[in-house]
Amino acid sequence: MTAAARTVAPRTESVLAELIRLARQSWPILAAGALVSVAFVALVPAGLPYDEPAHWLNVQFYLDHGRLPTLGEPGTSYEAQMGPFAYVLYAVVAAPFHFLGAETAAFYAARVLGAAQLLVLAVMLAAVALRTVKPHPGVALVAAAAAVLNPMLLAVSTSVQNDTLALVCGTGALLTVIVRGPRPMRAAGVAGLLLGLALLTKVTAWPFVVALGLLLLWQRRIRELLVMALVAAAVSGWWFVRNIALYGDVTARAGVERAGYDFPALPDAGPLALAKSAVTYLWLPTEYVRNIIAAPAAIEVLVAGLTLTVATGVVVMLRQRAVGSPMPILVAGIAIAAVAAWIAVAVAAQAVAFRTAYPAMLLVHAAWGALAFLGTRRALVVALVPLVAIDLWFLAHMVGLDVESMLIG
């Protein structure tokens, strides 16, 4: 093994130590991502991203009432169905400004917190990529760069939402179980805590729960499985009991319907429509900003190129997958489960965005990392040129956009 390969091979260290090491190695790209994130925070009009007004209303409810909202009560929206973790964190950073009456500053403080979560997620995705493919010095850098400069991840993360935090918690649990460290029972407890928090953020994190449970069962790590399951249940179980008590079902969908909100299934749920929606939510934030802007042909060509590049990366990843590691199977399984669930819900129940399938981002960015085997510099160019071009195009259209704030309250 070469010296370069040894620097990226999995080590016997804690998850936190590994993530800190990767962050130090990737600091230039993280710094660039932070600068772009600030531009997204500042330039995208408040409330323009889908669901942001409803999410922000939740944050305001926590700030004003100091308790959980109930669907249908005054001052709530359909997002009152969501678990509290993301909103509690937003409320913590927004509270100093809120109590001074600076609501605008409180809102943008919440957005900045989301941007910070993206930087953490980028490092985690780099760690996942390192354990999905064989050791290579460029894997982490390419995976982190593709994540932190992804226009769609930037647009989502720099708005008030709960998608990024759910992905951070789920990915953290995955890495904790895989890395394990010298104290496996403590690692199992931490993984359970993170899974519980992921479910308290957004229930669409369930593929992480199933995947890690099956992994520990298959590896006969029964004591670890029990600890992880008990901690996850203790952290999040009360939320589902509350939903049953208040609304009669674990997901609170019945409460959403009784409150008068209607989200029918997609009117056009054919394969091409679903594929277009998925590709859009991977790269292009046009639908996320309520289609107030439309992508020209040149941007659509870049999006198509990104999709084909990732497909190539998946092929490379399969050929260069890590030997003896369960991560390739876990990443693929989580992605398949998340996408299948999204399709089933969108076709049969209600129109939900592909964001609910964002656990598949682990596969996408492992594929980006695998492209380093074709040359790190080449892979960075292939990733960064189209991503940055879309970022700049999007931000240019946000500058001076005359849109009345859609924030509620």
Side-chain angles (χ1 to χ4, degrees):
M1 184 183 295
T2 64
R6 282 196 298 271
T7 64
V8 296
R11 303 180 179 188
T12 304
E13 59 184 346
S14 69
V15 175
L16 183 59
E18 180 171 323
L19 293 177
I20 291 173
R21 174 171 57 82
L22 288 175
R24 288 174 176 170
Q25 293 173 354
S26 306
W27 73 264
I29 198 67
L30 295 178
L35 290 175
V36 179
S37 294
V38 170
F40 271 73
V41 167
L43 296 178
V44 177
L48 183 59
Y50 265 125
D51 297 326
E52 186 175 53
H55 285 300
W56 179 241
L57 198 60
N58 268 3
V59 178
Q60 290 179 311
F61 192 95
Y62 281 85
L63 287 169
D64 292 333
H65 301 277
R67 63 174 176 85
L68 297 169
T70 301
L71 281 161
E73 71 175 306
T76 64
S77 74
Y78 56 89
E79 293 297 1
Q81 67 183 298
M82 293 292 176
F85 187 48
Y87 307 116
V88 169
L89 294 184
Y90 280 133
V92 167
V93 299
F97 306 99
H98 172 78
F99 292 121
L100 290 173
E103 289 301 316
T104 299
F107 169 77
Y108 282 102
R111 274 192 170 185
V112 169
L113 175 61
Q117 291 168 1
L118 176 58
L119 298 181
V120 175
L121 177 61
V123 177
M124 286 184 167
L125 291 175
V128 169
L130 279 176
R131 292 175 178 275
T132 305
V133 299
K134 297 175 183 177
H136 186 284
V139 167
L141 184 61
V142 176
V148 83
L149 293 173
N150 182 325
M152 193 61 221
L153 284 180
L154 280 162
V156 170
S157 299
T158 57
S159 63
V160 179
Q161 42 69 50
N162 55 4
D163 300 280
T164 306
L165 182 60
L167 199 49
V168 165
C169 292
T171 307
L174 175 66
L175 288 168
T176 301
V177 169
I178 295 298
V179 175
R180 201 177 183 186
R183 298 180 179 178
M185 300 308 292
R186 186 171 70 175
V190 172
L193 171 64
L194 290 170
L195 288 177
L197 293 175
L199 292 173
L200 280 182
T201 303
K202 195 164 187 174
V203 75
T204 52
W206 67 266
F208 291 102
V209 179
V210 174
L212 293 180
L214 290 176
L215 172 68
L216 293 178
L217 185 62
W218 177 62
Q219 293 182 336
R220 298 182 181 180
R221 294 158 61 181
I222 304 303
R223 291 177 60 197
E224 293 173 57
L225 173 59
L226 290 174
V227 169
M228 184 181 76
L230 289 172
V231 173
V235 171
S236 64
W238 64 271
W239 172 254
F240 301 105
V241 172
R242 177 181 184 270
N243 284 342
I244 293 172
L246 287 176
Y247 314 118
D249 70 90
V250 280
T251 65
R253 186 183 175 193
V256 174
E257 294 173 352
R258 284 201 299 270
Y261 300 105
D262 183 27
F263 299 97
L266 289 174
D268 178 12
L272 289 179
L274 290 171
K276 182 179 179 181
S277 179
V279 168
T280 299
Y281 268 95
L282 284 176
W283 317 115
L284 190 61
T286 49
E287 185 177 333
Y288 191 61
V289 292
R290 306 171 192 266
N291 293 305
I292 199 168
I293 59 173
I299 295 297
E300 291 183 345
V301 168
L302 291 179
V303 169
L306 287 167
T307 306
L308 291 174
T309 301
V310 167
T312 302
V314 171
V315 174
V316 176
M317 182 185 73
L318 292 174
R319 298 183 62 181
Q320 302 290 345
R321 65 185 181 277
V323 178
S325 170
M327 190 67 90
I329 295 175
L330 287 172
V331 166
I334 288 170
I336 292 169
V339 173
W342 166 69
I343 293 173
V345 172
V347 171
Q350 69 180 67
V352 291
F354 187 77
R355 300 195 310 277
T356 60
Y358 266 9
M361 283 292 187
L362 274 67
L363 176 64
V364 170
H365 288 87
W368 274 119
L371 289 171
F373 285 91
L374 304 180
T376 300
R377 188 173 299 176
R378 184 181 297 113
L380 285 171
V381 170
V382 169
L384 299 189
V385 169
L387 291 177
V388 172
I390 298 173
D391 288 335
L392 294 175
W393 168 81
F394 179 76
L395 290 173
H397 282 74
M398 292 295 105
V399 174
L401 191 64
D402 186 17
V403 178
E404 185 179 352
S405 175
M406 299 179 187
L407 289 181
I408 303 172

